[in-house]
Amino acid sequence: MVFIIKFLMNSVRKSFYELTTYKYISHVVSQFSSSFVFYWKDFFKDEPLLFPPGFDGRVVLYPSNQNLRDYLSWRQADCHINNLYNTTFWALVQQGGLSNSEAEVRLKGTVAGDKNEILFSEFSINYNTEPEMFRKGTVLIWQKVEEATDKLIITPATPEGRNVVVKRTRNKVLPLHVDIIGDGFWEEHLEILAENS
């Protein structure tokens, strides 16, 4: 009986912890999904959203900053590999007239150099000049930004009011399309891996 009660208590404790973790994940994924749909038209004006998107999320605790950097570097390299494949695949389909399955067969077993050669020799596309947003992906960071706004100040001495420029610093999420594999990004943004961040 003691074993069963202890097992149930541990399960409840674990479930509560997991519930908290999953609550955060659920909230972030939900917020991202709704924002994705809400802002779609701002980025893809003439392209309707044909299907509702689906996203997943997970929380991972890495034991060290180096492990975290290695993971993020791998994700960026993976983004590059996937984008190079997709850029070549869709060039073969949309400009080269191949079917999806024919393009897949054509790319089977190719390496990055082969894909670059297909893009350049057949479609005059230099992959290295493609926008960094596609080659590097998007990194979201919190950054302190100074904002200036006009504020109307009304006092007994100036009942008609006067405009005053008010400056304030606030944290804002900034999208960056930069290399995070090398040291440059991390040296420029030391606060990301700082102990007290």
Side-chain angles (χ1 to χ4, degrees):
M1 186 66 156
V2 172
F3 172 76
I4 292 172
I5 292 172
K6 199 168 195 176
F7 174 76
L8 288 173
M9 290 298 289
N10 285 338
S11 295
V12 167
R13 241 184 259 126
K14 184 177 179 187
S15 296
F16 178 74
Y17 170 75
E18 287 176 353
L19 179 66
T20 305
T21 302
Y22 289 125
K23 180 91 172 145
Y24 288 127
I25 295 169
S26 172
H27 177 72
V28 169
V29 172
S30 173
Q31 189 66 43
F32 182 84
S33 300
S34 59
S35 296
F36 185 91
V37 171
F38 186 80
Y39 290 109
W40 175 272
K41 64 186 175 310
D42 294 349
F43 293 93
F44 304 101
K45 294 176 185 358
D46 300 328
E47 195 70 37
L49 183 61
L50 300 177
F51 304 100
F55 301 98
D56 74 336
R58 61 198 70 134
V59 173
V60 179
L61 181 61
Y62 288 99
S64 71
N65 285 343
Q66 188 58 52
N67 290 127
L68 176 61
R69 279 189 60 180
D70 291 345
Y71 171 76
L72 293 173
S73 296
W74 169 73
R75 295 301 301 180
Q76 187 167 66
D78 197 41
C79 171
H80 166 76
I81 290 165
N82 290 334
N83 187 63
L84 178 58
Y85 179 90
N86 288 327
T87 301
T88 311
F89 178 88
W90 289 110
L92 289 168
V93 170
Q94 294 174 342
Q95 297 172 45
L98 298 182
S99 70
N100 288 8
S101 54
E102 289 170 332
E104 192 176 322
V105 168
R106 172 89 188 274
L107 291 174
K108 188 174 185 176
T110 59
V111 295
D114 301 329
K115 293 176 189 77
N116 278 305
E117 182 59 32
I118 291 169
L119 287 172
F120 191 72
S121 63
E122 295 181 32
F123 305 106
S124 300
I125 297 172
N126 181 348
Y127 183 76
N128 293 321
T129 61
E130 291 292 297
E132 285 195 330
M133 180 172 95
F134 303 119
R135 292 184 292 121
K136 305 286 185 191
T138 303
V139 178
L140 300 175
I141 65 166
W142 284 103
Q143 183 139 359
K144 290 189 185 309
V145 176
E146 189 172 286
E147 293 180 340
T149 57
D150 288 335
K151 187 169 184 175
L152 183 63
I153 305 290
I154 299 173
T155 63
T158 58
E160 70 283 351
R162 64 183 173 99
N163 279 327
V164 175
V165 176
V166 177
K167 292 183 181 178
R168 65 180 178 179
T169 302
R170 56 186 276 195
N171 281 327
K172 198 170 187 179
V173 176
L174 294 180
L176 304 175
H177 313 293
V178 296
D179 175 45
I180 62 169
I181 296 173
D183 292 332
F185 171 82
W186 301 102
E187 289 167 358
E188 187 177 334
H189 301 283
L190 293 171
E191 72 282 359
I192 293 174
L193 299 178
E195 289 296 322
N196 60 355
S197 63

